[in-house]
Amino acid sequence: MKIVGLLKRVATMMSVLLVAFTVEVSADTAEQLAICKSELKTMYGEGTRVRMYGTKSYRGVETLKLKVTPEGDSSMTLQCSGDTESDERVVLKDKNGETLVS
């Protein structure tokens, strides 16, 4: 009987920790998305629409997959990731991985 109670407590604690970690990751993603949107609006104009449709993480670098539609132009698929090795806040790449010049 005591083992069942202990397992329930452990499961409850693990679910609380998982939710806390998920909220932290979501906040980081939202902050990065805001920075990416700002950079793209500077690059393509204030009327640019940006929609995130996916994320991926590799070796601690999170990359956002974005659908970008400049005002009066056709949409394009871009990637936006944080850059820890340069002075840039984010790095924008086309769907083939080529870095865009801002």
Side-chain angles (χ1 to χ4, degrees):
M1 210 52 135
K2 291 182 180 183
I3 292 176
V4 172
L6 178 62
L7 290 175
K8 286 182 180 179
R9 286 185 200 153
V10 169
T12 302
M13 289 300 295
M14 290 179 69
S15 65
V16 168
L17 291 173
L18 181 62
V19 168
F21 177 74
T22 303
V23 169
E24 182 179 322
V25 170
S26 296
D28 291 343
T29 301
E31 183 180 335
Q32 184 175 353
L33 178 60
I35 293 170
C36 294
K37 280 185 177 182
S38 173
E39 294 290 325
L40 288 166
K41 287 183 185 248
T42 301
M43 201 171 185
Y44 293 111
E46 287 299 316
T48 302
R49 295 177 50 206
V50 179
R51 184 175 61 91
M52 182 177 78
Y53 69 89
T55 63
K56 68 178 181 179
S57 184
Y58 181 71
R59 293 189 180 188
V61 177
E62 186 172 21
T63 302
L64 306 181
K65 298 175 187 177
L66 307 171
K67 179 74 80 170
V68 179
T69 309
E71 191 171 33
D73 206 354
S74 60
S75 65
M76 63 187 100
T77 303
L78 298 178
Q79 300 174 7
C80 181
S81 59
D83 187 9
T84 57
E85 297 180 4
S86 76
D87 296 335
E88 303 282 327
R89 296 189 303 174
V90 293
V91 175
L92 299 170
K93 297 179 181 181
D94 65 9
K95 67 180 180 180
N96 299 320
E98 299 293 322
T99 304
L100 299 176
V101 179
S102 56

